Amino acid sequence: GDSVTQMEGPVTLSEEAFLTINCTYTATGYPSLFWYVQYPGEGLQLLLKATKADDKGSNKGFEATYRKETTSFHLEKGSVQVSDSAVYFCALLDQTGANNLFFGTGTRLTVIP
Amino acid sequence: GAGVSQTPSNKVTEKGKYVELRCDPISGHTALYWYRQSLGQGPEFLIYFQGTGAADDSGLPNDRFFAVRPEGSVSTLKIQRTERGDSAVYLCASSRNRGKNSPLHFGNGTRLTVT
């Protein structure tokens, strides 16, 4: 079945450091891929998405590229800020489009000044 | 505008009791989803409504769990004979339509604690 494997945390970085959070997936067909973010005390928010191979999703300085050959969708940011501290979830939407999102376990990021 | 609203934000109940969790989706969103997030885990799909009908309830763990959406808007997740293992954050999400181009909007969740 469909699944997402996400880099375990927690991750602690200094401000302005480079961030990578790894995500790989298993799916039949060609899923859509997402990164969601959960800030402290808030609900899950869509951060970015990519719906086909080689697409790059980007938002708020974060990027992720849909790599079919490596079944990956790693999240990157060149210079993190304290306000980026949150839990990040990689997610997959199966090709049927039923909106049954499959989530990874989440990676907690803490950015220290 | 108003987002997805879930009430209560916290619920503590004793083992064996019945609980109801409410979700108010974004106005005009036809699709509604319930997810469960256990500690240290990602959200897991429970059930999906398109309009008033449950289009997919394959994620409900057992027959103690039931959800309704009688008028195609507000939804209630019902849990009978609660068990300590039911303790989790229950998330509701809605989307305008179904499919990859209609993103899910999540509520803040209801944290259920079964003692």
Side-chain angles (χ1 to χ4, degrees):
Chain A
D2 295 349
S3 66
V4 173
T5 301
Q6 189 173 340
M7 170 179 156
E8 291 187 16
V11 174
T12 301
L13 295 174
S14 297
E15 207 164 21
E16 299 183 2
F18 183 84
L19 168 71
T20 300
I21 301 178
N22 290 339
C23 172
T24 57
Y25 68 90
T26 301
T28 51
Y30 305 99
S32 295
L33 301 172
F34 304 82
W35 278 98
Y36 278 80
V37 59
Q38 190 169 32
Y39 297 104
E42 298 184 16
L44 277 167
Q45 301 174 26
L46 177 64
L47 179 61
L48 54 85
K49 71 175 185 179
T51 58
K52 61 182 188 298
D54 299 326
D55 268 2
K56 177 186 283 188
S58 61
N59 186 27
K60 299 182 181 181
F62 290 88
E63 292 182 340
T65 301
Y66 188 160
R67 301 281 188 204
K68 181 168 171 286
E69 63 277 12
T70 54
T71 61
S72 65
F73 192 56
H74 305 322
L75 182 68
E76 297 183 337
K77 185 173 186 181
S79 176
V80 293
Q81 305 301 311
V82 172
S83 58
D84 294 327
S85 298
V87 182
Y88 293 82
F89 293 91
C90 186
L92 172 160
L93 179 66
D94 65 33
Q95 66 172 345
T96 67
N99 267 28
N100 294 358
L101 280 170
F102 293 89
F103 285 88
T105 55
T107 301
R108 181 177 298 278
L109 170 66
T110 301
V111 181
I112 54 178
Chain B
V4 176
S5 175
Q6 291 188 245
T7 54
S9 55
N10 281 282
K11 176 70 178 177
V12 180
T13 191
E14 292 180 346
K15 179 176 177 297
K17 299 290 188 183
Y18 167 83
V19 295
E20 291 189 351
L21 312 179
R22 177 187 168 104
C23 173
D24 277 277
I26 293 173
S27 178
H29 281 193
T30 61
L32 185 145
Y33 310 81
W34 284 98
Y35 283 80
R36 179 168 71 173
Q37 186 175 10
S38 300
L39 191 63
Q41 301 297 315
E44 294 179 306
F45 170 77
L46 295 177
I47 186 170
Y48 154 61
F49 286 89
Q50 183 63 41
T52 60
D56 183 350
D57 63 358
S58 61
L60 294 177
N62 52 60
D63 62 6
R64 296 186 297 105
F65 288 74
F66 190 70
V68 296
R69 195 186 185 199
E71 297 178 0
S73 179
V74 171
S75 176
T76 304
L77 178 66
K78 309 181 181 196
I79 310 174
Q80 298 177 321
R81 304 184 304 279
T82 51
E83 300 177 357
R84 293 197 179 88
D86 299 336
S87 297
V89 176
Y90 289 82
L91 298 171
C92 178
S94 70
S95 63
R96 185 168 298 281
N97 296 301
R98 162 182 171 168
K100 63 184 180 182
N101 294 317
S102 193
L104 271 63
H105 299 262
F106 283 85
N108 286 358
T110 294
R111 181 177 299 278
L112 175 66
T113 304
V114 182
T115 61

